[in-house]
Amino acid sequence: MPLSLDQHLATAERDYAALARFADRRERFLDALDWSALDEQFVREASMTDDLINDDLASLWLYIDHLGRWSADAGPNATGPAQFLRISRPLRDYTPH
C-alpha cells in the first residue's frame, strides 16, 4: 500500500532533523580542531564533506517544501509518489578518511 503524502513528509522531516543534528555536532567538533596541525588533504576533504552535507540539507528542505505544497493541494490523505526512492548516504560516509 502506498504511503500518504503526510507519511512521506514525516519521513523527510525526520531525515532532515537527523542530518541537521549531525551537521551541528560535526561543526562543533571541527571548530575544536587545530586546523594548522592538520594536513592539506584532510582539510580539503572536510571542506568537500561540508559542501555535501549542506547540499543534502538544501535538497531535503526543497523536498519537504514540495511535499507540503502537494499535500496542501491534494489533501493530507492523498497517496504519495508511486515509488518512493529514499536515496541517502549513511552518516559514516560523511566522515573524511
Side-chain angles (χ1 to χ4, degrees):
M1 181 163 115
L3 298 175
S4 72
L5 287 173
D6 280 352
Q7 290 169 314
H8 284 289
L9 183 58
T11 300
E13 287 171 342
R14 279 192 308 272
D15 289 349
Y16 182 88
L19 186 56
R21 285 190 305 273
F22 172 78
D24 182 55
R25 287 190 312 269
R26 184 176 191 282
E27 182 178 356
R28 284 184 278 138
F29 170 78
L30 293 177
D31 284 346
L33 294 178
D34 178 7
W35 288 90
S36 62
L38 301 173
D39 69 353
E40 188 176 315
Q41 181 66 23
F42 176 85
V43 173
R44 184 175 23 261
E45 288 177 4
S47 176
M48 291 185 324
T49 303
D50 287 340
D51 290 343
L52 180 65
I53 293 170
N54 289 332
D55 287 348
D56 285 352
L57 283 170
S59 295
L60 268 170
W61 184 256
L62 290 173
Y63 185 63
I64 289 168
D65 182 61
H66 167 72
L67 288 175
R69 291 172 190 263
W70 188 2
S71 179
D73 290 343
N77 295 323
T79 303
Q83 184 178 10
F84 180 65
L85 297 175
R86 185 173 173 193
I87 301 171
S88 62
R89 289 176 287 280
L91 292 180
R92 63 179 154 63
D93 287 352
Y94 289 113
T95 306
H97 303 291

